[in-house]
Amino acid sequence: MYCPECGFHQSEAHNYCERCGALLHVEGGTADTTGPFSIGVGDNDPGGLAGHVIEGPALAVRVGGGLSGEVFHLTGERVAIGRDPASDIFLDDVTVSRNHAVIMLSEGACSLQDLASLNGTYVNRRRIDEPETLTDGDELQIGKFRLAYIA
């Protein structure tokens, strides 16, 4: 089996790519992929996610690690993301580096920076090497986790 995102050859036993963390098509599973995320478009939940009102910048976990639907509010000037339990956003999976990425908030803008992680950090399915300014609905991939940025 080959990863649909990066083309890495996988054994049939894996559900996620060992290289980039992408969900692999599993027999009997769905072929759904994630895309841009927006709150309140075409559904009956105009004010939030599953009844949660989301104010200010936040990250919503769309897929990964049993955290689907979890919302992390971004507070402070610097929000650390990683597998280190001391991280502000703790993502417990081997596809996530201990100090994977950081979100910096300044004057109402949020930017995401990869911290030389092994598997990389992706915004809208594009690997980033420099700090990336986030806009509402951007999809972030950190290891096997896919998150939506909500402004």
Side-chain angles (χ1 to χ4, degrees), residues 71-136:
V71 176
F72 297 100
H73 294 279
L74 305 176
T75 58
E77 293 180 6
R78 181 179 166 93
V79 178
I81 303 170
R83 190 168 36 94
D84 184 342
S87 297
D88 299 310
I89 298 177
F90 174 54
L91 301 176
D92 190 18
D93 188 80
V94 295
T95 60
V96 178
S97 295
R98 289 188 190 281
N99 298 303
H100 198 101
V102 64
I103 294 180
M104 293 161 290
L105 293 91
S106 176
E107 299 175 15
C110 287
S111 62
L112 175 68
Q113 181 176 359
D114 182 72
L115 298 176
S117 64
L118 182 62
N119 291 324
T121 301
Y122 296 79
V123 175
N124 298 324
R125 299 185 182 236
R126 184 180 50 82
R127 188 173 183 152
I128 62 169
D129 296 319
E130 300 291 324
E132 178 85 13
T133 301
L134 299 174
T135 59
D136 192 38

Side-chain angles (χ1 to χ4, degrees), residues 51-65:
H52 300 284
V53 175
I54 300 172
E55 295 179 11
L59 290 179
V61 180
R62 299 195 59 206
V63 177

